[in-house]
Amino acid sequence: MSITGRKLFVKALLEENVDTVFAYPGGMVTDIIDELYKTPEIKVVLPRHEQALVHEAEGYARATGKTAVCLVTSGPGATNTITGIADAFYDSIPLVIFTGQVSQNLIGNDAFQEVDIVGMTRSVVKYGVTVSDRELLGRQMKMAFQIAPAGKPGPVLIDIPKDIQLASGSGEYPSYVDIRGYKINTSVHIGQLKKAYKLLKNAKSPIILAGGGVNIARAGDSLRKFAEQTNVPVATTVMGKGAIAYDHPLYIGNCGMHGKYSVNKAISECDVLFSIGTRFNDRITGDLNEFAPKASIVHIDIDTASISRNVVVDVPVVCDANAALDKLLEWAEPKDTEDWITKIEAWDKEHPLSMRCDLGLCPQSIMEGINKVFPKGIVVTDVGQHQMWASQYITLNEGKKMITSGGLGTMGFGFPAAIGAKIGAPNQDVVCITGDGGMQMNMQEMATSIIEKANVTVCILNNQYLGMVKQFQQLFYGKRYKITCLRRNVDCPDDCKGPSGACPPYLPDFVKWAESYGALGLRVTEPGQIEDALREAKANQTSTVIEFLISSDELVLPMVKGGNAMSEMILK
Amino acid sequence: MRDRWISLYVENQVGVLAKVSGLFSGKNYNLQSLTVGTTEHEDVSRMTICVTSDDVTFEQIKKQLNRMVEVIKVVDITSAPLHMKELLYARINDIGPDEMSQVFQLAEVFKVRVCDAGEDCLILECLLTTESNDELIKLLKKKFKKVSIVRGGAVAMESISISKR
Ligand SMILES: Cc1ncc(C[n+]2csc(CCOP(=O)(O)OP(=O)(O)O)c2C)c(N)n1
Ligand SMILES: [Mg+2]
């Protein structure tokens, strides 16, 4: 039976069990959207901007573990998605993005709203293609749904010209397609893994380092068992946080640029670094020559290209985290690591992670309030100082997960990703921790949150600055803040060193702004108000914005300056 | 740092060349030459790629190529015995009879063909290894004032019985 492209499109989504599409209309997708209107099984979410649309899809994918689907029009609709696509690429989030395209006879003519979106996104997608033949539509959609979640997940972009949406052709949607250039390695190289385990077995002071790959593979359970059976302490990267419960006796904390002193110290001193699912980017390693200088390094990763790229690895194992851990569990035997763990604990006592909280509202108290009021659920962060405080002080376990933009570090990610997470997991509490700067990058999404009844608790840590940048200016750039101050106006002096009574009012008034959408707006200025405000938000029937007025001078510490050795931490 | 050679089997589709060459520019790999043409299967193209890199970068390049959906096979032919030739045309302009005969002599030495001629100009058609072409160009530029060159980049195939390029 012959059907139109637009009908096949919807049929394909149904066969892929897609229940939600994040879509923004426009001329080149109106046909598909019209077809979706006839499909009650699929919920269509209308965000207010295509960048936010992709972040919402990312939040949805992270919260559900499913591949999320985006649909946008050609030209500006497509170009607006690029930041989101890049974010998903660097954080390995499975997305399928469908872009409308002008009809094939117009491609190349600089037609209205024609852009080469496949060309523009080539370096940030796993696969991208413009469908050039109606008979290829089914195959290429299937390819997208096969490639996006496979191996190291990521975004796939399918660009569909208008004439193909309208053309009649085969009604078949394949249940599987063979892609000769894309074969995922599903077997475990037992020999390599044995070698890796032998190193660990003979180690005196080993560390297991869990990266985001462990969370993506949902291998936390096996990781915990493996650590328990071997008695090896576990460190995490920012993206690996939550792979093991915060209060597990073998969990020692985050490493990296703003990691714990004791953890970076332990990595500098360990004799075997048994790493799983991390790409060892510069925020983790610092100066490569000084990274884990005494250790033999085992690196287990699904992505061959992530192995031996940044650090020299002694035993590489190309493998899915779950498959590797399941095999390792068969061999795991208890080790005596008591002295080593005592040593790490002593380092932690020397320089514990903590902030000064006696002067008023401090970020640590806010994070602790969130931990208390929201023991379960999903915490989503934006990018900046507040993100690092969240990575330091938010506690995670089986019932509580964190979603953050780690690879690309995209300001504006947090709020829409939180909305997407809530849409994917409506029965869970979702808390968004964001900065006053990043919040303003996608604040139009409050409309999406309200109309979709996707209630989130938005905690804005308002320090009146682009704090993370200010921190560098404060420490290394002579305290010049002209365009990192978000209160500044044209009448302010050029060399302002910090807020005073003479500052213009902060724009916007976040409380009034929230209320204008029918959301609840709260302002917290005293430590005693933290928990009450969070409780009120939790019970509230719409989204809530809590603006926490914090000092502009708070720093994220400890800190390792970019390019320095991880052992050279700034502690005060 | 040295020259490495890759023979790359890819899907014969629009955009694949852009994707492969984009990888080299995007990741700052030092691409020396890239040629592409279809194979005995019309849906498969074969690229011959020369890149200058150290060992670690070269490993990374192969892995990055391998993970592209459109790449069917990556073969490192750096140290494989193979046949490898590059087509080059050299036009030597504004030359008198003496210089003309010099060109003919050079052609004989390098075993290349004079394929076209005018009153004061000649065209050489050279099918040589990249290195020999480099040498020939050097010589031509030294001896003659007006030389224009077009070269195609090398293509290679694994050899059957000989071990020399
Ligand atoms: C889209 C984007 N633009 C710029 C940056 C650079 N940047 C990183 S953190 C930061 C400041 C964030 O300020 P805010 O949202 O107020 O958070 P804070 O650091 O103050 O907690 C900036 C500008 C970025 N990461 N993303
Ligand atoms: Mg700020």
Side-chain angles (χ1 to χ4, degrees), chain B residues 47-66:
Chain B
M47 297 183 179
T48 306
I49 296 172
C50 178
V51 59
T52 312
S53 76
D54 56 28
D55 291 347
V56 176
T57 310
F58 189 54
E59 280 312 305
Q60 185 58 214
I61 291 171
K62 286 188 282 183
K63 289 173 177 174
Q64 291 286 348
L65 288 169
N66 244 320

Side-chain angles (χ1 to χ4, degrees), chain A residues 385-386 434-438 460-468 484 486 506 550:
Chain A
Q385 288 185 309
H386 61 277
T434 183
D436 50 319
I460 303 177
L461 271 63
N462 189 348
N463 54 6
Q464 312 176 31
Y465 279 90
L466 298 169
M468 189 50 106
T484 33
L486 295 175
Y506 191 94
I550 62 168

Side-chain angles (χ1 to χ4, degrees), chain A residues 306-434:
Chain A
S306 293
I307 294 182
S308 297
R309 173 164 52 179
N310 298 332
V311 299
V312 182
V313 169
D314 298 272
V315 185
V317 188
V318 181
C319 183
D320 169 68
N322 243 327
L325 282 162
D326 283 349
K327 200 79 217 157
L328 287 164
L329 277 171
E330 292 176 16
W331 307 325
E333 285 169 16
K335 293 177 57 65
D336 179 8
T337 51
E338 231 183 279
D339 291 353
W340 171 229
I341 290 174
T342 315
K343 231 181 190 175
I344 299 173
E345 282 166 357
W347 287 324
D348 199 37
K349 288 221 175 65
E350 225 175 288
H351 297 290
L353 198 57
S354 76
M355 299 181 84
R356 197 166 161 190
C357 285
D358 56 345
L359 297 175
L361 198 54
C362 92
Q364 182 177 353
S365 318
I366 299 169
M367 300 302 151
E368 285 166 359
I370 294 170
N371 290 337
K372 196 154 164 204
V373 178
F374 294 94
K376 289 209 182 86
I378 303 172
V379 172
V380 186
T381 85
D382 207 77
V383 170
Q385 288 185 309
H386 61 277
Q387 175 190 33
M388 291 300 112
W389 290 320
S391 79
Q392 292 176 329
Y393 296 107
I394 289 293
T395 52
L396 303 177
N397 54 30
E398 290 73 24
K400 185 136 166 246
K401 295 285 164 239
M402 188 163 112
I403 300 173
T404 192
S405 168
L408 197 65
T410 311
M411 281 175 72
F413 170 86
F415 184 41
I419 295 168
K422 183 70 184 179
I423 290 171
N427 298 323
Q428 296 212 46
D429 288 325
V430 177
V431 179
C432 170
I433 299 173
T434 183

Side-chain angles (χ1 to χ4, degrees), chain B residues 51-109:
Chain B
V51 59
T52 312
S53 76
D54 56 28
D55 291 347
V56 176
T57 310
F58 189 54
E59 280 312 305
Q60 185 58 214
I61 291 171
K62 286 188 282 183
K63 289 173 177 174
Q64 291 286 348
L65 288 169
N66 244 320
R67 79 173 180 184
M68 281 184 186
V69 172
E70 297 90 340
V71 167
I72 302 165
K73 198 160 71 169
V74 183
V75 189
D76 177 1
I77 53 172
T78 306
S79 44
L82 38 84
H83 300 276
M84 182 161 63
K85 288 285 186 297
E86 179 195 32
L87 180 61
L88 175 151
Y89 284 105
R91 177 173 166 152
I92 301 104
N93 292 311
D94 294 349
I95 44 176
D98 275 4
E99 290 165 306
M100 284 231 181
S101 64
Q102 281 181 29
V103 175
F104 274 96
Q105 279 169 21
L106 265 179
E108 206 162 301
V109 174

Side-chain angles (χ1 to χ4, degrees), chain A residues 50-300:
Chain A
E50 289 93 347
Q51 183 202 345
L53 180 156
V54 182
H55 295 325
E56 273 152 31
E58 291 182 278
Y60 173 94
R62 272 280 195 263
T64 59
K66 292 199 280 194
T67 298
V69 177
C70 306
L71 173 66
V72 298
T73 193
S74 65
T79 54
N80 268 349
T81 62
I82 294 178
T83 302
I85 293 175
D87 191 86
F89 187 70
Y90 287 108
D91 280 346
S92 308
I93 300 178
L95 300 183
V96 177
I97 301 101
F98 295 104
T99 51
Q101 181 58 282
V102 301
S103 287
Q104 289 181 91
N105 64 331
L106 294 176
I107 293 181
N109 289 4
D110 290 346
F112 179 62
Q113 297 190 333
E114 177 204 350
V115 297
D116 174 16
I117 192 64
V118 170
M120 288 179 185
T121 53
R122 203 163 267 143
S123 58
V124 288
V125 294
K126 284 181 83 175
Y127 180 64
V129 71
T130 302
V131 181
S132 59
D133 181 345
R134 167 65 185 80
E135 290 312 319
L136 286 174
L137 179 62
R139 177 182 163 83
Q140 287 178 334
M141 285 184 72
K142 186 70 210 180
M143 280 178 74
F145 282 98
Q146 264 176 228
I147 291 169
K152 185 182 177 71
V156 174
L157 187 142
I158 307 288
D159 187 40
I160 313 178
K162 174 107 166 174
D163 55 322
I164 289 191
Q165 300 170 27
L166 296 176
S168 285
S170 162
E172 284 299 310
Y173 182 66
S175 57
Y176 171 81
V177 289
D178 182 55
I179 309 165
R180 59 181 163 184
Y182 193 71
K183 297 274 187 289
I184 296 294
N185 170 34
T186 46
S187 64
V188 186
H189 195 304
I190 300 290
Q192 281 299 96
L193 206 58
K194 271 214 171 105
K195 253 200 216 163
Y197 179 67
K198 209 170 149 197
L199 263 182
L200 188 73
K201 196 177 161 186
N202 295 328
K204 296 220 160 31
S205 46
I207 297 279
I208 297 173
L209 175 62
V214 177
N215 286 333
I216 291 170
R218 308 205 159 207
D221 226 32
S222 311
L223 175 80
R224 177 184 48 78
K225 283 187 199 144
F226 181 60
E228 283 170 357
Q229 286 185 29
T230 53
N231 295 328
V232 178
V234 180
T236 51
T237 65
V238 168
M239 299 309 282
K241 191 178 160 76
I244 185 164
Y246 77 97
D247 52 357
H248 193 283
L250 285 167
Y251 182 50
I252 60 172
N254 271 349
C255 67
M257 191 167 188
H258 295 294
K260 266 174 144 179
Y261 169 81
S262 54
V263 179
N264 281 335
K265 181 88 180 157
I267 288 179
S268 301
E269 295 294 325
C270 70
D271 64 353
V272 168
L273 186 64
F274 198 93
S275 64
I276 310 175
T278 166
R279 64 168 169 262
F280 287 113
N281 86 9
D282 47 291
R283 303 276 133 152
I284 300 302
T285 63
D287 180 359
L288 281 171
N289 299 316
E290 300 287 325
F291 179 70
K294 302 176 182 170
S296 302
I297 299 180
V298 170
H299 189 179
I300 301 173

Side-chain angles (χ1 to χ4, degrees), chain A residues 8-89:
Chain A
L8 178 63
F9 180 91
V10 173
K11 177 177 174 183
L13 295 193
L14 288 173
E15 291 195 16
E16 293 295 343
N17 295 316
V18 173
D19 56 13
T20 307
V21 174
F22 296 87
Y24 207 101
M28 295 305 125
V29 290
T30 310
D31 280 278
I32 290 177
I33 285 179
D34 199 44
E35 208 57 49
L36 283 171
Y37 285 162
K38 304 175 196 160
T39 319
E41 302 91 316
I42 299 175
K43 171 181 171 128
V44 184
V45 174
L46 173 71
R48 291 299 187 262
H49 188 295
E50 289 93 347
Q51 183 202 345
L53 180 156
V54 182
H55 295 325
E56 273 152 31
E58 291 182 278
Y60 173 94
R62 272 280 195 263
T64 59
K66 292 199 280 194
T67 298
V69 177
C70 306
L71 173 66
V72 298
T73 193
S74 65
T79 54
N80 268 349
T81 62
I82 294 178
T83 302
I85 293 175
D87 191 86
F89 187 70

